[in-house]
Amino acid sequence: MTNLPEPARVVQLPDGTHVYADQLPAAYAGPQVVHQHIHQAAPDRTVQRMALGSGVGAGAVAAGVYFGPLLVGVLTAIAANIAMLAFLALILAWGVHTVVKSTGSTEGAAAVKNARRRLARRRRR
């Protein structure tokens, strides 16, 4: 009768209790050490793992975790301010150019025309 399931095995533990053999606690195999290379770490943890691997303490790693994103945010805000100032300078320069061009005299227009002729002559040579 090979088609019948095997009978459950019962084991008596040292304290005298009986348990099924498939419910026995697993034997302790020692500490589980996972060997993971630095390039396999998540991108946000690579720097921390490098720091811990080089002997830097956990406080420095915690500071990196805290101040890293903070530094990125500050640099982004500074870049946005500089971009806004550059845009403002561009608008002001365009405004000054427009005002000077519209209020220019006929002498200024003649000087521009003369400079263009000279530039055209130089290009022909």
Side-chain angles (χ1 to χ4, degrees):
M1 293 202 187
T2 58
N3 60 349
L4 294 176
E6 287 197 24
R9 297 182 186 183
V10 178
V11 179
Q12 185 176 9
L13 295 178
D15 64 354
T17 58
H18 293 82
V19 294
Y20 290 107
D22 60 350
Q23 295 176 355
L24 286 174
Y28 180 68
Q32 296 293 323
V33 178
V34 177
H35 182 73
Q36 188 175 28
H37 291 278
I38 193 70
H39 66 276
Q40 294 171 330
D44 59 339
R45 298 286 181 243
T46 303
V47 174
Q48 289 85 353
R49 289 188 183 189
M50 286 173 47
L52 284 174
S54 65
V56 175
V61 173
V65 170
Y66 179 76
F67 289 115
L70 194 65
L71 180 65
V72 170
V74 167
L75 292 177
T76 303
I78 291 171
N81 286 339
I82 291 173
M84 183 59 94
L85 289 174
F87 184 68
L88 183 63
L90 178 72
I91 290 174
L92 290 175
W94 174 78
V96 168
H97 169 75
T98 303
V99 168
V100 168
K101 186 177 177 183
S102 66
T103 59
S105 64
T106 56
E107 295 170 357
V112 168
K113 195 182 270 187
N114 192 12
R116 284 184 183 158
R117 284 183 194 157
R118 287 184 185 172
L119 184 62
R121 287 180 192 161
R122 286 184 187 171
R123 287 184 185 167
R124 288 184 206 155
R125 292 183 189 175

